[in-house]
Amino acid sequence: MEKSNQTLLREFLILGLSQNPQLQVPIFIVFFLMYLFTLLGNLVIITLICIDAHLQKPMYYFLMNLSFLDIGLTTVIIPKLLALCLKAKKSDKSINFSSCILQLYFMASFISTEFYLLSVMAYDRYLAICNPLRYASIMNKRAMILLMVTSWTIGFLDITPHVVLLSNLSYCASNEINHFFCDMNALLKLTCTDTFFINIATFGEGIVIGLGPFILTITSYVLIILNIMKIPSNTGRQKLFSTCSSHLTAVVLFYGSELGVYMKPTSGHSLDKDKLFAVMYTAVIPMLNPILYSLRNKDVKCALKKVIGKLRQTNTVLQ
């Protein structure tokens, strides 16, 4: 009998950010614009790095990977949210069990990969600023590729056992997910299975893929700042501080919003608060990353000016 009850909940209803009908259009417009800016900003970064020889360096290849991750993360979440906003009936806001688990898997994998990549980027900046004479020999092409491939591989593999555990739970409490995507905490609220082991796994995973890389990242930036303080030139210090502050802002926002959700005790979870954190790491931060990491960079701005100049010349010729 229990088995038959388990098979009944193979479809969920996603409640979204708000159930107020009057807010659906404003939510759609805001998130559509955020998604558009995210795609545009990150595609510009990817294109510039691919076509400009001056940007084909480890730092910019890592930034290009970050852009791919941000595009992937928002594409897994935002289009579904936009579709939900266009559906008036609650019964139309459904997602089948397999699609829900797949959305959760890819979202978590992109986030996990970004944790590792942010650590790699911080280490790369540490080498460039604190060990400039050895940078080229340490961060060579082979090391760069190895770090990128390792980040993606570990990011997609270490989340797999956790999602498998989640997919094998029995869901019989309700079929309404109080979130705007298939969030793990929201799904755990619906299960009638003991979640002790998966809660322990979640906390352990948070330490491994969250706190570990976060400590490495912060340590790298602390060493960078200490090294910057030794620079005699005020102009040089201000330039490096400006870059580091932008990167640290992005890092703290990303880690803070993620760990604030998944490192809390289960009893302390508020799904409404989790939604606000989720908006940060699924929509706001991917939109801001191109500005914080790339478009304030002198080399990237020069490359962008070159492309705009060439487009203007082409347009003039065609006219």
Side-chain angles (χ1 to χ4, degrees), residues 166-213:
L166 197 66
S167 65
N168 284 305
L169 296 178
S170 302
Y171 297 93
C172 53
S174 170
N175 72 332
E176 295 183 353
I177 297 176
N178 185 17
H179 218 294
F180 60 92
F181 62 89
C182 288
D183 175 71
M184 180 186 65
N185 291 326
L187 283 172
L188 288 176
K189 295 281 187 181
L190 307 182
T191 183
C192 51
T193 308
D194 183 14
T195 60
F196 174 78
F197 289 108
I198 197 166
N199 287 330
I200 293 297
T202 301
F203 189 80
E205 185 182 44
I207 292 175
V208 173
I209 72 168
L211 287 180

Side-chain angles (χ1 to χ4, degrees), residues 41-50 63-64 67 290 294-295 300:
N42 285 289
L43 286 174
V44 166
I45 298 303
I46 293 169
T47 303
L48 290 176
I49 293 171
C50 288
L63 286 173
M64 183 168 67
S67 290
S294 304
L295 295 179
V300 174

